[in-house]
Amino acid sequence: MSVSSINPANEEVIETFTPHTEVEVDAALAKAEEHYSNWRLTTFDERAKLMNKAAEVLESHVDDWGPAMSREMGKPLAQAQGELKKCAWVCRHYAENAETYLKDEPIKTDASKAFVRHLPIGPVLAVMPWNFPYWQVFRFAAPALMAGNVGLLKHASNVWRSALNIEDVFKEAGFPEGCFQTLLIGSDKVEKVVRDRRVRAATLTGSGPAGASVASIAGDEIKPTVLELGGTDAFIVMPSADLDAAVDTAIDARTQNNGQSCIAAKRFFVHGDIYDEFRDKFVEGMKALKVGDPLADGTNIGPLAMKSIRDDLAEQVDKSVAAGARALLDQPDLPEKGWWYAPQILEEAPENAPAAKDEMFGPVASLWKVTSLTQAIERANDSPFGLGSSVCTTDKGEMEQAIRDLDAGSTFINSKVASDPRLPFGGVKASGYGRELSSDGIRAFINRKTVSIA
Ligand code: NAP
């Protein structure tokens, strides 16, 4: 059965793809295994030359792949182009730093010499989501290839043009065939690939159920996994914060990528002393955002990527309001065609409402008044997720308390949570395990071989 990319702004089919057959997938795995045996022997310099070239290829396609990405999944054009440039950054980051990140670690023992050497492990499967269709893949692929592994991509079924373009980046850059291959397969075909002897590890960025499924299959095969899953990140504002800056950051943090980001701030806890002022400015700012054609200049929010996402979000809002949350913004008239949802703020959702406990994947913020940082942190931690967290304060003691007590993979002070090639990225609890990016990311799929020379 063919698979189509559908433009979420107008529901038109952009392109239709034929999934790979079992024979084609098997050939790709054979190619991965065969080429890995050569690739693992290349030097860091050789890999770095190609990875720097991949960065150039990405930059050369900003003006054609940027609009294509916006059409495929709805993000505003400037953000799509920014994403391609960020992918070039991560390629250059690992081209420059991989060798240092993976250098031998000497250890003093009774032997004449002992050390840890970091060796690649082989073909790694990456199961990736559509929301940052290039970035999610490159933050896996750049370190994996620089480490000497080879990559296999199973991308989300609504962004197969992006998936094929990514394979082309590595071809155009001159990587040997088999270093990075896209498998056009549905999620029902993932199990067989994970179980295949030639695949040595898997990483998945996506929802909890998908992560649990891939990790349990990999566990059954004794293969390592990294999981980057969902989040309902808290954003805490204390009286000492620069209020206007906090409001601007809050709006950006909630609505980046049309609100469809794992690390978007989703639950806002604001101290009572500044609550009313923050809320009024937050409402004004969210109301001012322009919803519309993601390719048009000045658009802040495009359509949500899929009908099911828009419908699920609308249902979560309706249920939260029915449970007692106050909706602070009216939904404007939006085009009939396309999967639109305008920004919304839900105030004081009760603890059993979707706005309080579930991930909301769209431009909807949940807002509560708190009496202290301790209360804000307790509420923030009262979630199955633990991806990122933000705190706006200028009080050093409050910063320390937040860093110590927020149960999340990161705490950003006076800024939104953002991924950066130099910083480890990942979550705790239902947000997953393992870390991507920085030295952690390149060591995710490595044999830390102990060497002892008597
Ligand atoms: P999803 O449905 O889990 O899809 C993600 C990927 O997993 C897709 O390639 C999908 O393929 C595949 N998949 C789905 N079910 C699977 C299964 N049972 N077995 C194997 N593969 C399966 O997630 P999504 O709705 O597209 O993405 C949004 C979620 O990703 C949100 O929860 C978001 O927070 C999370 N996310 C996390 C991070 C992070 O770094 N922590 C980053 C971005 C997004 P098909 O498309 O073919 O179904």
Side-chain angles (χ1 to χ4, degrees):
M1 210 174 60
S2 61
V3 170
S4 298
S5 289
I6 299 174
N7 186 336
N10 56 25
E11 301 177 39
E12 284 171 11
V13 172
I14 306 168
E15 201 174 351
T16 297
F17 306 87
T18 306
H20 287 151
T21 62
E22 286 197 11
V23 173
E24 286 170 317
V25 171
D26 186 63
L29 298 188
K31 202 188 266 186
E33 183 183 45
E34 183 193 336
H35 291 276
Y36 166 65
S37 62
N38 297 324
W39 182 247
R40 73 183 189 88
L41 300 176
T42 53
T43 64
F44 283 108
D45 275 355
E46 287 167 327
R47 294 175 203 160
K49 272 196 191 87
L50 295 170
M51 199 53 79
N52 280 321
K53 187 81 184 109
E56 284 170 29
V57 173
L58 280 158
E59 284 167 347
S60 73
H61 282 291
V62 163
D63 291 335
D64 53 342
W65 291 353
M69 194 189 324
S70 295
R71 276 192 289 274
E72 203 171 35
M73 51 68 66
K75 78 173 66 188
L77 178 59
Q79 293 181 33
Q81 292 176 320
E83 182 172 334
L84 288 162
K85 291 178 193 161
K86 191 170 175 181
C87 293
W89 179 23
V90 80
C91 290
R92 292 200 175 99
H93 176 81
Y94 280 106
E96 192 181 332
N97 295 294
E99 187 166 9
T100 309
Y101 286 157
L102 296 180
K103 68 176 188 291
D104 288 352
E105 285 174 11
I107 302 172
K108 255 191 173 332
T109 67
D110 298 334
S112 66
K113 194 173 178 185
F115 57 92
V116 172
R117 175 152 301 171
H118 300 100
L119 296 170
I121 56 172
V124 182
L125 173 70
V127 182
M128 290 289 152
W130 47 266
N131 61 340
F132 293 92
Y134 287 72
W135 172 243
Q136 304 292 0
V137 178
F138 276 90
R139 77 181 187 187
F140 150 74
L145 268 55
M146 282 306 301
N149 293 316
V150 300
L152 294 157
L153 169 66
K154 178 271 176 277
H155 218 327
S157 297
N158 57 326
V159 291
W160 280 7
R161 172 46 52 202
S162 298
L164 291 170
N165 288 346
I166 291 168
E167 187 179 55
D168 283 347
V169 170
F170 294 104
K171 278 189 199 150
E172 273 190 50
F175 279 80
E177 230 193 319
C179 273
F180 187 92
Q181 298 176 84
T182 287
L183 307 176
L184 295 182
I185 55 172
S187 52
D188 56 329
K189 302 284 188 284
V190 169
E191 174 164 2
K192 196 162 179 219
V193 178
V194 174
R195 289 197 188 279
D196 192 285
R197 163 195 71 73
R198 294 163 291 192
V199 172
R200 292 287 301 268
T203 179
L204 181 139
T205 300
S207 61
S213 168
V214 167
S216 58
I217 294 162
D220 194 35
E221 298 289 337
I222 325 289
K223 294 180 182 181
T225 47
V226 168
L227 297 182
E228 296 288 0
L229 308 177
T232 50
D233 287 5
F235 189 102
I236 298 170
V237 189
M238 296 302 292
S240 68
D242 174 337
L243 197 81
D244 289 335
V247 171
D248 288 348
T249 308
I251 293 166
D252 183 27
R254 177 58 285 211
T255 60
Q256 58 180 322
N257 211 43
N258 302 340
Q260 304 162 121
S261 171
C262 52
I263 47 168
K266 292 168 187 138
R267 297 176 300 139
F268 296 78
F269 302 99
V270 180
H271 192 279
D273 290 357
I274 45 157
Y275 182 83
D276 289 347
E277 193 184 350
F278 179 91
R279 179 195 52 203
D280 294 349
K281 289 182 170 175
F282 196 29
V283 166
E284 280 316 302
M286 291 283 270
K287 214 191 269 178
L289 294 174
K290 197 169 159 217
V291 180
D293 178 0
L295 293 167
D297 272 353
T299 294
N300 303 110
I301 311 261
L304 300 185
M306 286 183 261
K307 181 176 187 304
S308 58
I309 291 183
R310 195 273 314 271
D311 292 351
D312 288 352
L313 184 69
E315 192 183 327
Q316 287 174 312
V317 170
D318 291 348
K319 280 188 175 162
S320 299
V321 170
R326 289 184 295 277
L328 301 184
L329 295 171
D330 296 327
Q331 282 285 305
D333 287 337
L334 292 165
E336 227 167 79
K337 282 266 179 208
W339 305 317
W340 304 95
Y341 203 88
Q344 181 57 280
I345 300 173
L346 299 174
E347 194 179 32
E348 298 297 340
E351 62 184 36
N352 61 342
K357 60 186 176 55
D358 298 335
E359 181 178 34
M360 295 179 87
F361 225 50
V364 178
S366 304
L367 179 63
W368 292 273
K369 188 194 286 191
V370 291
T371 53
S372 65
L373 180 60
T374 302
Q375 189 194 27
I377 292 172
E378 272 170 20
R379 302 276 297 272
N381 290 346
D382 185 17
S383 161
F385 297 102
L387 193 52
S389 55
S390 287
V391 182
C392 297
T393 177
T394 53
D395 181 298
K396 291 264 175 353
E398 288 178 351
M399 290 180 196
E400 282 304 322
Q401 186 186 350
I403 294 164
R404 184 191 64 202
D405 293 342
L406 279 166
D407 200 3
S410 65
T411 295
F412 281 62
I413 311 277
N414 295 321
S415 69
K416 68 174 180 180
V417 178
S419 58
D420 178 319
R422 299 162 295 188
L423 297 174
F425 183 97
V428 296
K429 300 198 278 181
S431 293
Y433 54 77
R435 292 289 178 269
E436 294 190 290
L437 301 174
S438 73
S439 61
D440 295 50
I442 199 165
R443 290 179 176 206
F445 300 116
I446 281 292
N447 174 11
R448 271 172 62 78
K449 179 178 275 189
T450 300
V451 182
S452 179
I453 302 172

